[in-house]
Amino acid sequence: MPSNVEIKAVVRDPGLLTERAKQLSRSEGTLIRQQDTFFRVEKGRLKLRHLQDGTGQLIFYERPDMDGPKLSNYSLSLTNDPEGLTKVLSDALGVKGVVKKERYLYLVGQTRVHVDTVEGLGQFMELEVVMKEGQSVEEGEAIARELMQLLGVKKEDLIVGAYIDLLMADKQE
């Protein structure tokens, strides 16, 4: 199963973070609009990501709910019929919730730096250090920590869980 080391954090100064991400990636980034439908499952998280080109990705992943760098194991399947698959999975499993976001993607070495605007939540950043075969979790965590420092991400800005968890917590309050 593929894996990555990730962190998520609240963004206090989107302009500064974006400028640093542009400098590190030597690019203007790629704008991606996504809608993730999360389904009710007993373990891990299962989401169907609707992409702007009309395709989708069914993604199952497991990772601990803690702040800081954490290992995430995932599996992914592509679909050309995300609406039909959403209907089938909704009927079979039930929908937990939907996350809509606008994301700028910057590639820095083996890391995907995301600067996200999440509908109903605000501005966040996410690092995904895509693990190479044979690479240790500790190496991935060290890369994530170094990028956190270069991007100006503070430990107190780190968040636990996924965007869907934050949205669900907001609905319960």
Side-chain angles (χ1 to χ4, degrees):
M1 189 178 277
S3 63
N4 57 39
V5 170
E6 329 187 336
I7 66 144
K8 269 193 179 62
V10 173
V11 173
R12 307 279 178 212
D13 186 342
L16 179 61
L17 178 73
T18 299
E19 277 310 307
R20 288 180 177 175
K22 286 178 179 181
Q23 290 170 358
L24 290 168
S25 68
R26 295 185 178 103
S27 79
E28 291 297 309
T30 303
L31 174 62
I32 304 168
R33 289 183 179 87
Q34 299 173 335
Q35 176 176 304
D36 294 340
T37 302
F38 284 80
F39 301 96
R40 298 185 188 283
V41 291
E42 287 187 32
K43 68 172 193 159
R45 292 180 178 91
L46 180 67
K47 66 183 174 186
L48 182 60
R49 174 165 288 161
H50 294 247
L51 302 171
Q52 56 197 28
D53 67 359
T55 64
Q57 301 170 333
L58 182 63
I59 304 166
F60 170 77
Y61 64 100
E62 292 180 289
R63 70 168 181 248
D65 285 334
M66 59 184 220
D67 66 9
K70 53 199 158 277
L71 184 67
S72 177
N73 294 303
Y74 63 94
S75 52
L76 182 140
S77 179
L78 306 177
T79 181
N80 288 320
D81 184 16
E83 289 80 17
L85 189 53
T86 298
K87 172 78 170 104
V88 170
L89 290 169
S90 297
D91 290 348
L93 301 171
V95 172
K96 183 176 181 178
V98 176
V99 175
K100 295 178 183 178
K101 64 183 171 265
E102 187 174 84
R103 162 174 283 178
Y104 279 89
L105 167 65
Y106 304 91
L107 299 175
V108 180
Q110 71 188 80
T111 305
R112 298 168 57 93
V113 177
H114 301 140
V115 180
D116 295 338
T117 302
V118 182
E119 189 175 294
L121 286 179
Q123 303 251 217
F124 297 86
M125 66 81 57
E126 180 179 83
L127 299 179
E128 291 179 352
V129 181
V130 180
M131 301 301 290
K132 297 176 180 174
E133 192 169 324
Q135 194 171 28
S136 73
V137 174
E138 292 78 17
E139 288 176 90
E141 290 174 351
I143 292 168
R145 283 192 186 93
E146 180 182 356
L147 273 173
M148 280 175 56
Q149 185 176 15
L150 292 170
L151 291 166
V153 177
K154 296 177 173 58
K155 182 154 178 57
E156 58 266 22
D157 293 333
L158 296 177
I159 61 170
V160 174
Y163 297 140
I164 189 67
D165 301 326
L166 297 174
L167 283 169
M168 299 306 289
D170 276 357
K171 286 183 180 181
Q172 292 175 357
E173 290 178 358

